[in-house]
Amino acid sequence: MRAIRIGVAAPGSRIDAAIAARVTQLAEAQFGRRVVLHFHPQCFLSCGHFAGNDKTRAATFLELANDPELDAVWMARGGYGAARIVPRVLAGLTPLAAEKAYLGYSDAGALLSALYARGFARVAHGPMPADSLREGGDKAVLRALSFLVEQAPDALESSVDGATPTAAFNLTILCHLLGTPHEPDLTGHIVMLEEVSEHLYRIDRALCQLTRNTKMQRAAGLRLGRVSLIPPSDPEFGQTPEEIIRHWCADSAIPYLGSADIGHDVENKIVPFGVLRDRKRAKT
Amino acid sequence: MRAIRIGVAAPGSRIDAAIAARVTQLAEAQFGRRVVLHFHPQCFLSCGHFAGNDKTRAATFLELANDPELDAVWMARGGYGAARIVPRVLAGLTPLAAEKAYLGYSDAGALLSALYARGFARVAHGPMPADSLREGGDKAVLRALSFLVEQAPDALESSVDGATPTAAFNLTILCHLLGTPHEPDLTGHIVMLEEVSEHLYRIDRALCQLTRNTKMQRAAGLRLGRVSLIPPSDPEFGQTPEEIIRHWCADSAIPYLGSADIGHDVENKIVPFGVLRDRKRAKT
């Protein structure tokens, strides 16, 4: 059996080489010769906030996306920077890029969403190499690898049924796509949202915006993932994240469908953009 | 001469009664019987994060906006909450409301923008009663009053020329209008932006979104007000706010027109939405 070849690029913030070493070790221990991981040196570059400048990050992403020898492109980390390179990436994709799997979350969602809008069939939200830094993070990394290498069904978020199209986003990242040419059309999709390190009033403000978006009002419904590390507010906001999303779903007549097993943590599950396609079907 | 009657409502966060007392005292000392200030009791209500619930805040705003005895509605404070009540407010405005002046900034910008889009001719960005809490804040409050009472030209931001339409926004508040039915059309306007307490990467992210908005690309240009209380980033972002806005203006071919004398501070000047109309012209 041919090994699954995974290229890793950092469209936003950089990672340390130690992360690449740890994840490579994990992959070898779990999957042996069934996987080959290629961490592009761009992952370790530094240019202010970013893992190299926009030109470099976009060129690296395209180098991997268009590489006929690779099966998947894995985002090394979130942070910030993916949205900046979306136009350059979209301008440079070749038909070969459409056959690959793409995996990441958080900041990377801006890029994943653009690839999905382009018609790519194997785009998914899920853990990244940088998750290995979390306590118990090996579990998240291995979940991502088991999805990329053997499409393990138990890596998927449990409400993903293989029939209803889904998408998953960091709430703030999704809001920053609204009103731009990259605003997603998720008509008929179950949209799962998660958030980290945002005040409750900001979560409310973001959901107010999102649920007033007419495209979003055509979603099949929203699910709420984990909202973690909420900074304290004075006065207290007075509503939980679930109460907030229920309010805005009721206000906009978007169905609220319950919780989602995603978040900035080691339990973060895989959510396909659209309906999950396996490698064979994607290539035919 | 009939006194200018100003009603004060709090569309977002509440204020303490001491602010009302201080601002009333200032107004009397400076303008005597030329001004009557009415702080609606709603300003002092408390409902979690807000100065009363949505229904109460919207009803109060409408009570003042539709009151034939008032000349102006002044927003007491920013915080968060104006965007939430925009649909209720728009649904309840009567023709009387269109004749008044409206003044506020920051969170209130969501409401000001909606009133301007409705065709209201006397909407402006400028200081609010809560600015009296700042060191030297009396100056800001008196500037706002001199604009509302006597339309003092020196209260205006210095680049306002009376011919080119303008608008001013808190950057984050403006971004949260994008992709909603309340996304502003500022074709031909000079748009002034200010920000407070946001990391540089967030300012970059917001300007990336804003300058990709096709309506915003029809603006006559952007000006950058003060960007204050920027929290530190690790790693350092590596660009100043001016470098960031210059980058995004160049990227989107929106002219960058220089600085603007606005911000979350006591020097914050008045910026009309559109071309400044005086009271007489507004009423004819």
Side-chain angles (χ1 to χ4, degrees), chain A residues 43-263:
Chain A
C43 295
F44 317 120
L45 291 180
S46 182
C47 177
H49 194 93
F50 308 105
N53 64 25
D54 287 1
K55 198 173 167 182
T56 303
R57 299 198 317 286
T60 300
F61 186 86
L62 285 167
E63 180 187 328
L64 301 186
N66 295 331
D67 183 341
E69 297 302 316
L70 291 176
D71 301 289
V73 179
W74 197 13
M75 319 290 186
R77 184 186 166 188
Y80 168 59
R84 288 178 59 119
I85 64 169
V86 164
R88 283 177 195 265
V89 167
L90 290 180
L93 294 168
T94 70
L96 278 171
E99 298 179 9
K100 291 187 178 59
Y102 295 86
L103 185 65
Y105 73 107
S106 193
D107 176 65
L111 194 45
L112 296 172
S113 178
L115 298 175
Y116 180 57
R118 178 61 71 92
F120 285 25
R122 295 175 62 217
V123 176
H125 158 111
M128 301 181 288
D131 284 306
S132 67
L133 293 177
R134 301 186 191 278
E135 193 180 330
D138 290 358
K139 186 162 91 170
V141 168
L142 288 172
R143 183 181 310 117
L145 286 166
S146 73
F147 172 73
L148 292 172
V149 175
E150 55 194 13
Q151 302 185 287
D154 61 359
L156 297 176
E157 205 279 341
S158 64
S159 72
V160 173
D161 64 8
T164 314
T166 50
F169 281 96
N170 174 270
L171 173 60
T172 297
I173 295 299
L174 175 54
C175 280
H176 279 288
L177 298 176
L178 302 182
T180 78
H182 313 300
E183 177 178 299
D185 183 346
L186 298 168
T187 301
H189 289 59
I190 294 172
V191 182
M192 305 188 203
L193 304 169
E194 58 84 31
E195 193 50 278
V196 63
S197 302
E198 297 288 351
H199 291 87
L200 287 171
Y201 84 89
R202 290 179 181 240
I203 291 165
D204 189 88
R205 191 168 66 184
L207 284 167
C208 173
Q209 177 184 20
L210 185 68
T211 57
R212 286 179 181 171
N213 179 264
T214 53
K215 284 204 196 92
M216 197 55 52
Q217 289 172 359
R218 300 197 296 261
L222 300 185
R223 282 185 174 274
L224 184 62
R226 284 172 293 280
V227 178
S228 51
L229 301 176
I230 303 170
S233 292
D234 180 25
E236 283 191 22
F237 191 76
Q239 289 181 54
T240 65
E242 188 182 336
E243 286 169 336
I244 294 171
I245 196 169
R246 282 184 183 278
H247 168 83
W248 289 112
C249 281
D251 187 74
S252 60
I254 301 174
Y256 175 66
L257 303 173
S259 64
D261 190 10
I262 62 170

Side-chain angles (χ1 to χ4, degrees), chain B residues 55-232:
Chain B
K55 198 173 167 183
T56 303
R57 298 198 318 286
T60 299
F61 187 86
L62 286 168
E63 181 187 326
L64 302 185
N66 295 331
D67 184 341
E69 298 302 315
L70 291 176
D71 301 289
V73 180
W74 197 12
M75 319 289 186
R77 185 185 165 188
Y80 168 59
R84 288 179 60 119
I85 64 169
V86 165
R88 282 177 194 265
V89 167
L90 289 180
L93 294 169
T94 69
L96 279 170
E99 299 179 10
K100 291 186 178 59
Y102 295 86
L103 185 65
Y105 73 106
S106 193
D107 175 66
L111 194 45
L112 296 172
S113 177
L115 298 175
Y116 180 57
R118 179 59 70 92
F120 285 24
R122 297 173 62 217
V123 176
H125 158 111
M128 301 181 289
D131 284 306
S132 66
L133 292 178
R134 299 186 192 279
E135 193 180 331
D138 290 357
K139 186 161 92 171
V141 168
L142 289 171
R143 183 181 308 116
L145 286 167
S146 73
F147 172 74
L148 292 172
V149 175
E150 56 195 13
Q151 301 186 287
D154 61 359
L156 296 176
E157 206 278 342
S158 65
S159 72
V160 173
D161 64 9
T164 315
T166 50
F169 280 97
N170 173 270
L171 173 60
T172 297
I173 296 298
L174 176 53
C175 280
H176 279 288
L177 299 176
L178 302 182
T180 78
H182 313 300
E183 176 178 298
D185 183 347
L186 298 167
T187 300
H189 289 57
I190 294 172
V191 181
M192 307 189 203
L193 303 169
E194 57 84 32
E195 193 50 277
V196 62
S197 303
E198 297 288 351
H199 290 85
L200 288 170
Y201 83 88
R202 288 179 182 241
I203 291 166
D204 189 88
R205 191 168 66 184
L207 284 166
C208 172
Q209 177 183 20
L210 185 68
T211 58
R212 286 179 180 172
N213 179 263
T214 53
K215 285 203 195 93
M216 197 55 52
Q217 290 171 359
R218 301 197 297 260
L222 299 184
R223 283 184 174 276
L224 183 63
R226 285 175 290 282
V227 177
S228 51
L229 301 176
I230 303 170

Side-chain angles (χ1 to χ4, degrees), chain B residues 16 47 101-102 140 157 252:
Chain B
D16 285 332
C47 177
Y102 295 86
E157 206 278 342
S252 60

